[in-house]
Amino acid sequence: MEACQPLNSDINGGLKKQYSLTPLRLLRGLACLFVYLSTAFMFMVYFSPVIAVFLRLFSVHYSRKSASFLFGLWLALWPFLFEKINKTKVIFSGEFVPERERVLIIANHRTEVDWMYLWDLALRKGSLGFIKYVLKSSLMKLPIFGWAFHVFEFISVERKWEVDETIMRKMLSTFTDPVDPLWLAVFPEGTDFTEKKCIKSQQYAAENELPVLKNVLLPKTRGFYSCVEILRGSLDAVYDVTIAYKNRCPTFMDNVFGVEPSEVHVHVRRIVLENIPSSEIECNTWLLNTFHLKDQLLSDFIAQGHFPNQGTEGDLSTIKCLLNCVLVIAITFVFAYLTFFSSIWFKVYVVLSCVYLSCATAYNFRPTPILEYVKGLLSGKKSS
């Protein structure tokens, strides 16, 4: 059995420069975290009742379109932090990705922040606000962010297929309209990579005559197949994304303070739907083979220090990032002024918004458009 690849690999014989947590980095990181949390809170409590309740009562499409625009404004703060403030190099390789496609993304799950670096790619493709994730249900309990995950229709799962199948299929069926832009990200491994999990995965693979992998875990196939089966007719492509880091895999706070990573390497392979089998057994085999290739790609990265065909994407525009940041902060200042120094009705609005978001997230509630509700009533009367 092959040894699992340690997370803090000495790539190509020497580690990249690691930043120490200086007082300046600590203060800067705390300031950024405060800005991001305060802007997220104000955006959620002021915009959510409008886009997730009022607009949705008339049109799911325009509700999603408005949510995507506002979500994209706020999400763009993170690539700005990574690439411009922390000076992390995000290097893209593989195939060039067309703009504004409806896609399903499958990615390896090396650490807790892999999903955040998909934002850097989505921003370059004009699709940042359209990104959605399949994520574990415990994340829905996070303050503020749990509200956002609900409003932006992320799919929460328990990681037990007998429980998750109904939830996933119900949510996926609402994403089939090709008019609604979509970047749906799935991490088929189901959890982040550790040496202990890798050993367990290898033992299972050896016992069941499956590929023994050392840089990724065996993927869980049923969730991926459901995504492909339900969305096949409305997707443009599947993106097979492989993420690797120098020096070591970062944590969330490493990202905030700019200590790690020094470099993030993102390899993209674009797959047309016709190349993915339609039968479940063949589709599962295809996914296993894809992760086998991904495992070899990571082994080559460890040996060479880079993925093949680097430089497929350019740098972000500093001016655009700054303007977006200023706009988000300005909107937040206006909302803060209205909340603390204006009419009491704004305070009432904020409180009611918080109550709604808490209840809607806890009970997974979304309003049904009026026309759909009326049609449902009429069809129910006719059938009776």
Side-chain angles (χ1 to χ4, degrees):
M1 188 178 296
E2 297 182 89
C4 296
Q5 178 61 46
L7 297 178
N8 54 340
S9 308
D10 183 354
I11 299 172
N12 212 26
L15 294 176
K16 300 291 289 183
K17 179 180 178 181
Q18 180 179 6
Y19 297 110
S20 58
L21 184 58
T22 62
L24 178 61
R25 284 184 176 275
L26 179 64
L27 289 173
R28 189 185 69 187
L30 290 174
C32 287
L33 194 58
F34 172 76
V35 168
Y36 289 14
L37 287 172
S38 60
T39 53
F41 178 78
M42 289 299 178
F43 267 54
M44 289 305 301
V45 297
Y46 272 92
F47 286 127
S48 292
V50 178
I51 62 176
V53 179
F54 179 76
L55 269 180
R56 193 178 179 93
L57 287 173
F58 298 94
S59 170
V60 172
H61 171 68
Y62 285 107
S63 171
R64 285 176 172 171
K65 195 169 184 178
S66 302
S68 297
F69 173 74
L70 295 169
F71 187 39
L73 284 179
W74 183 81
L75 269 188
L77 296 178
W78 290 95
F80 177 53
L81 170 66
F82 300 154
E83 299 187 41
K84 301 301 179 180
I85 297 177
N86 291 346
K87 304 297 182 183
T88 296
K89 289 183 66 177
V90 182
I91 301 168
F92 295 92
S93 60
E95 297 182 47
F96 180 79
V97 174
E99 292 190 4
R100 296 186 178 275
E101 288 190 312
R102 273 180 61 94
V103 300
L104 173 65
I105 301 169
I106 52 173
N108 60 314
H109 202 358
R110 198 70 174 175
T111 182
E112 64 188 36
V113 294
D114 300 315
W115 57 293
M116 303 180 81
Y117 284 102
L118 295 179
W119 300 338
D120 295 71
L121 177 61
L123 179 57
R124 287 168 166 85
K125 297 300 152 186
S127 299
L128 185 56
F130 310 140
I131 198 163
K132 302 180 190 298
Y133 295 92
V134 177
L135 45 72
K136 58 184 179 181
S137 59
S138 60
L139 294 176
M140 302 297 288
K141 298 177 183 178
L142 290 174
I144 304 176
F145 295 114
W147 297 348
F149 298 157
H150 173 77
V151 169
F152 300 117
E153 300 179 277
F154 291 6
I155 303 176
S156 65
V157 295
E158 300 290 339
R159 296 192 285 197
K160 297 177 181 177
W161 185 242
E162 60 273 14
V163 177
D164 296 333
E165 182 177 12
T166 302
I167 297 170
M168 279 198 68
R169 288 185 173 275
K170 181 179 179 181
M171 284 295 295
L172 288 169
S173 66
T174 69
F175 297 153
T176 55
D177 190 344
V179 175
D180 293 330
L182 177 69
W183 271 39
L184 178 62
V186 179
F187 295 90
E189 291 163 280
T191 184
D192 55 343
F193 182 98
T194 65
E195 189 171 352
K196 183 178 180 180
K197 293 172 187 175
C198 178
I199 292 171
K200 186 176 179 180
S201 177
Q202 288 182 340
Q203 290 173 342
Y204 178 86
E207 291 168 0
N208 291 273
E209 299 182 350
L210 297 172
V212 177
L213 311 174
K214 61 180 180 179
N215 301 294
V216 292
L217 308 177
L218 280 173
K220 294 176 171 60
T221 57
R222 287 178 290 192
F224 170 75
Y225 175 72
S226 294
C227 292
V228 172
E229 179 191 21
I230 295 171
L231 299 176
R232 181 183 288 273
S234 65
L235 294 177
D236 296 305
V238 171
Y239 294 168
D240 174 23
V241 175
T242 305
I243 304 172
Y245 302 94
K246 298 180 182 180
N247 302 309
R248 60 177 175 82
C249 293
T251 64
F252 175 76
M253 296 312 293
D254 286 338
N255 272 346
V256 169
F257 296 127
V259 177
E260 288 285 359
S262 58
E263 290 182 10
V264 181
H265 291 252
V266 182
H267 184 275
V268 183
R269 186 167 65 102
R270 185 179 181 276
I271 304 156
V272 295
L273 270 296
E274 289 77 8
N275 292 341
I276 301 177
S278 56
S279 76
E280 184 170 5
I281 294 175
E282 290 178 339
C283 184
N284 294 346
T285 302
W286 179 91
L287 184 62
L288 286 170
N289 291 336
T290 296
F291 267 74
H292 196 187
L293 293 173
K294 196 182 290 286
D295 184 61
Q296 184 58 54
L297 189 63
L298 286 166
S299 291
D300 294 342
F301 175 85
I302 291 165
Q304 301 168 11
H306 61 84
F307 287 129
N309 192 27
Q310 285 192 162
T312 53
E313 302 292 340
D315 293 334
L316 293 177
S317 167
T318 303
I319 294 176
K320 288 183 179 179
C321 287
L322 279 172
L323 289 175
N324 181 85
C325 185
V326 169
L327 176 61
V328 171
I329 292 174
I331 293 172
T332 301
F333 266 114
V334 171
F335 287 156
Y337 174 81
L338 293 175
T339 303
F340 296 109
F341 303 108
S342 189
S343 168
I344 191 173
W345 291 109
F346 286 102
K347 295 180 177 63
V348 172
Y349 179 87
V350 168
V351 170
L352 291 177
S353 180
C354 290
V355 171
Y356 169 77
L357 286 167
S358 299
C359 294
T361 302
Y363 295 102
N364 195 26
F365 168 76
R366 294 180 184 86
T368 302
I370 294 172
L371 287 177
E372 289 185 19
Y373 181 72
V374 172
K375 287 179 181 178
L377 287 178
L378 292 175
S379 62
K381 289 180 180 179
K382 288 180 180 179
S383 62
S384 60

